[in-house]
Amino acid sequence: MTAAVRPAWDEAPTRLGRAVKAVVVGVVLLAVLFPLWVVVLTSVSPSTAITEAGGLVVVPDGFTLGAYAELLSGGTVTRSVLVSTGITVVGTLFSVVVTLLAAYGLSRPGSFAHRPLLFVVLLTFLFGPGLIPTYLLVQSLGLLDTYAALVLPGAVAAFNLVVLRSFFMNIPQDLVDSARIDGAGDFRVLTRIVLPLSKGVTAVIALFYAVGYWNAFFNAFLYLNSTDKWPLQLVLRAYVLQGQPIPGASPADSTLDGTGGLVATLAVKMAVVVIAVVPVLLVYPFVQKHFTKGVIVGAIKG
Amino acid sequence: MPGADLLERPAVSAGRPASPPRRAAWARRLRRDWALLVMVAPAVVLLAVFHYVPLFGNAVAFQDYSPYVGIAGSQWVGFSNFARIVGDPAFWDATANTLTITAFQLVFYFPVPIGLALLVHSLLSPRLRMFVQSVVYLPHFFSWVLVITLFQQMLGGAGVLNQFLRSHGFSPVDVMTDPDLFLVLVTAQSVWKDAGWGAIVFLAALSTVDTSLYEAAAVDGAGRWRRMWHVTLPALIPVIVLLLILRLGEALTVGFEQFLLQRDAVGAATAEVLDTYVYFTGVVNSDFSYAAAAGLVKGLVGLALVLAANKVAHLVGEQGVYSR
């Protein structure tokens, strides 16, 4: 890593200025990381530590994965994790493929009808279809209480499509031309030339979609009636935010120790929170480096 | 068959020789570009079905919609649903709440990403900079349920803050359920979740500033603050103006989940915004026509605001969400 060099014209900061900046940066980092620290720590703390702390654990004291073992050994939370994972994988694949195809299809200058089609896409930026009509449509298509209702209505995000398209348009035309001279059709150009050059942007777009599906709350809340179909975010709301008892977990809680279910439940609740965060944290570092490159270019060019 | 026909496309924009009859050209371009059309089709169909078709569903706003007979069988009632809205205090309360929240966030949320971008930009060490950026972007990828849960665990009745207060002999405060603190709370949540992400645009603008400008300013004797005022700020102003205008265009939209999730805790009087109002009257109380009318009013005013905001953006020389 190259060492930071202060340009000659920039005077060194005063001691006070340096201190103030350090404090502000520290506070900002702490504001984001502290809640995560507390939640993760509480989820892996034994119930004695939780009792001692009188609630959430801030200082580590003991370690157990009991809460996770309990949550992931079947029951509501396990099922919702599987549901969320399924929706995320299937939805992301579907969305990315559809978006990539359309972005490429609209990125060739002078192609047939690309202007009106692009207009159809761009116009969706300006207005939403409205909650009630969308709900009635989903209802009349018979999608209520199906997982398809969580994927199809938001499968294509115009923003992602436009970002990808403007990236594709910046790929040197010569490359595409030479592939064409070699007899490649549009599908082959997309898979052999354009996609390999667009891995970064595609990864970012995939992350956006995946995060959207993993975090999906409102569609599920709106369209899924049966609790056994709930994805993780709905479970998180019911059992952690609203404090309803967790059906699959509560009997075991009381058997954990003599201090009562309440304390152990806190570890279990925080474990649900952690389960909701972990996939994001796992994927994030791999994609994060592409943010500035991919997103800003697309976002600013629109 | 692939050869010449396909190769022709790049040349199209460069002007073609003697143009064949229009229809023949169409047919040829269609034959040449069929693969592209096939690629675009799934996305366009999805957008058509889930974005354009529901627009017609807004017809229920002019009906006394009954789920049993559908749109085709329901009574047409003209504008009576809209007349009801005008005389409905709950609708105006929701509107007032929405506008209050927008105004409050404009003052207390909007400057934060700018400050954050300036802070990150001023960090000299690339490693520290990368780390701070990674950390502040992160909450953007958390769901609202998660963000509110984390806030509840920190500031709620049984949260870390109150644990601390109690153990030090102070009386606890439950920030999460206090209607008087709700405005501050939701703004703090928005800042926590999205200020870092919002800083990206400003960082991009900062990275385009020509460093020789700083150098020249320094040579002319401008100190740190003068350089920020005369070099950095002017570089940010176009972005600030653009985002400000865009935000004003969305004055009636403050986000759905954040308010839906906290409505129970603080009560509808403070937490009911237009979006949640439409949801509760429509889906929960099955008053579809009335809710659709309310949604339509919100949508149309919103559209007008976006268009007006764009107009203003063009007038001040910015690009807006779409170009002319």
Side-chain angles (χ1 to χ4, degrees):
Chain A
M1 181 140 269
T2 49
V5 183
R6 183 174 292 281
W9 46 265
D10 194 9
E11 62 278 339
T14 60
R15 193 173 294 186
L16 179 70
R18 202 183 291 234
V20 168
K21 209 154 84 179
V23 169
V24 176
V25 170
V27 167
V28 169
L29 292 179
L30 208 63
V32 176
L33 297 177
F34 181 72
L36 296 177
W37 163 256
V38 170
V39 163
V40 172
L41 200 62
T42 307
S43 75
V44 296
S45 288
S47 52
T48 47
I50 296 176
T51 319
E52 213 172 293
L56 294 150
V57 181
V58 180
V59 187
D61 178 14
F63 179 82
T64 166
L65 289 176
Y68 293 93
E70 205 176 308
L71 283 179
L72 297 176
S73 61
T76 313
V77 178
T78 315
R79 196 167 47 215
S80 73
V81 169
L82 293 177
V83 168
S84 281
T85 309
I87 292 171
T88 305
V89 171
V90 174
T92 306
L93 274 176
F94 180 68
S95 289
V96 167
V97 169
V98 171
T99 310
L100 275 175
L101 286 174
Y104 178 76
L106 293 173
S107 73
R108 302 294 94 201
S111 73
F112 184 79
H114 83 287
R115 276 178 191 285
L117 288 173
L118 186 62
F119 186 70
V120 165
V121 172
L122 291 181
L123 209 57
T124 61
F125 272 133
L126 278 183
F127 54 87
L131 170 68
I132 301 297
T134 308
Y135 180 84
L136 294 177
L137 175 75
V138 169
Q139 191 181 40
S140 63
L141 289 177
L143 295 178
L144 278 193
D145 224 20
T146 68
Y147 292 133
L150 306 192
V151 175
L152 293 179
V156 185
F159 177 81
N160 291 344
L161 206 165
V162 170
V163 169
L164 268 180
R165 175 180 173 268
S166 62
F167 191 88
F168 289 170
M169 293 187 81
N170 283 336
I171 290 175
Q173 185 66 38
D174 300 356
L175 278 173
V176 178
D177 288 348
S178 64
R180 288 191 168 283
I181 289 170
D182 294 342
D186 280 309
F187 280 102
R188 194 174 284 258
V189 170
L190 174 60
T191 51
R192 294 292 163 81
I193 310 278
V194 173
L195 281 187
L197 289 172
S198 318
K199 280 183 197 148
V201 194
T202 310
V204 173
I205 299 292
L207 173 79
F208 284 173
Y209 277 126
V211 166
Y213 284 117
W214 181 258
N215 286 343
F217 168 81
F218 188 65
N219 277 359
F221 178 75
L222 201 57
Y223 300 132
L224 296 185
N225 301 321
S226 21
T227 39
D228 59 327
K229 287 191 173 150
W230 274 8
L232 187 60
Q233 302 295 333
L234 287 187
V235 169
L236 183 63
R237 174 193 191 230
Y239 303 138
V240 184
L241 199 54
Q242 300 185 326
Q244 295 169 18
I246 303 179
S250 38
D253 275 356
S254 42
T255 60
L256 271 183
D257 56 72
T259 56
L262 243 184
V263 170
T265 314
L266 191 59
V268 173
K269 280 181 179 175
M270 292 309 104
V272 180
V273 176
V274 174
I275 292 172
V277 180
V278 160
V280 176
L281 290 184
L282 286 182
V283 187
Y284 184 69
F286 297 101
V287 183
Q288 202 262 346
K289 57 173 185 267
H290 298 295
F291 280 163
T292 15
K293 242 185 288 167
V295 179
I296 295 178
V297 173
I300 289 182
K301 290 204 162 165
Chain B
M1 177 252 160
D5 227 20
L6 286 164
L7 275 175
E8 198 187 355
R9 192 185 306 139
V12 164
S13 48
R16 265 176 304 184
S19 55
R22 242 184 110 74
R23 186 173 305 173
W26 262 56
R28 232 182 42 186
R29 286 175 66 205
L30 191 59
R31 205 176 61 226
R32 185 194 64 194
D33 291 336
W34 68 270
L36 294 177
L37 293 173
V38 170
M39 290 179 181
V40 178
V44 168
V45 168
L46 279 168
L47 285 176
V49 171
F50 290 102
H51 229 96
Y52 288 94
V53 170
L55 290 180
F56 299 103
N58 275 311
V60 301
F62 302 94
Q63 293 187 326
D64 183 12
Y65 176 78
S66 156
Y68 305 104
V69 291
I71 296 182
S74 293
Q75 278 281 307
W76 292 91
V77 295
F79 284 89
S80 71
N81 288 313
F82 296 91
R84 244 178 87 197
I85 290 173
V86 176
D88 176 10
F91 175 83
W92 295 111
D93 287 347
T95 309
N97 284 340
T98 310
L99 291 175
T100 313
I101 292 163
T102 296
F104 196 84
Q105 297 213 344
L106 214 49
V107 178
F108 293 98
Y109 170 86
F110 194 81
V112 182
I114 303 173
L116 208 54
L118 288 175
L119 179 71
V120 170
H121 192 70
S122 77
L123 297 173
L124 210 52
S125 148
R127 200 177 298 202
L128 177 65
R129 209 166 141 163
M130 209 54 221
F131 178 69
V132 174
Q133 269 173 285
S134 308
V135 170
V136 296
Y137 294 166
L138 183 61
H140 174 74
F141 296 96
F142 293 164
S143 68
W144 269 118
V145 189
L146 187 64
V147 171
I148 292 165
T149 305
L150 290 176
F151 264 77
Q152 189 195 40
Q153 299 308 320
M154 293 302 114
L155 307 175
V160 173
L161 173 69
N162 281 324
Q163 250 167 261
F164 178 82
L165 289 178
R166 262 188 233 107
S167 65
H168 290 75
F170 298 102
S171 55
V173 281
D174 190 349
V175 183
M176 299 298 288
T177 56
D178 188 342
D180 295 333
L181 291 175
F182 188 66
L183 259 185
V184 183
L185 178 71
V186 291
T187 307
Q189 289 165 346
S190 298
V191 167
W192 192 82
K193 189 177 192 288
D194 281 325
W197 188 250
I200 285 191
V201 191
F202 297 108
L203 278 169
L206 286 175
S207 69
T208 61
V209 180
D210 186 355
T211 42
S212 64
L213 287 176
Y214 287 112
E215 202 175 339
V219 169
D220 288 348
R224 186 174 298 278
W225 294 106
R226 289 205 73 115
R227 288 202 300 269
M228 185 182 276
W229 186 255
H230 291 293
V231 181
T232 311
L233 208 61
L236 288 183
I237 284 198
V239 190
I240 294 176
V241 170
L242 176 64
L243 290 182
L244 206 58
I245 291 169
L246 290 182
R247 181 69 198 99
L248 286 175
E250 298 197 318
L252 292 183
T253 308
V254 287
F256 215 127
E257 297 185 8
Q258 193 184 5
F259 296 92
L260 184 75
L261 288 163
Q262 301 188 87
R263 190 175 171 270
D264 295 341
V266 293
T270 17
E272 189 86 290
V273 293
L274 281 172
D275 283 330
T276 55
Y277 182 70
V278 170
Y279 169 75
F280 279 101
T281 49
V283 180
V284 177
N285 295 335
S286 300
D287 198 349
F288 289 104
S289 285
Y290 180 64
L296 195 56
V297 169
K298 192 216 149 200
L300 288 177
V301 175
L303 181 61
L305 285 174
V306 172
L307 292 176
N310 253 287
K311 193 85 194 159
V312 178
H314 290 156
L315 286 179
V316 296
E318 300 293 337
Q319 221 192 352
V321 258
Y322 58 88
S323 34
R324 268 157 291 187

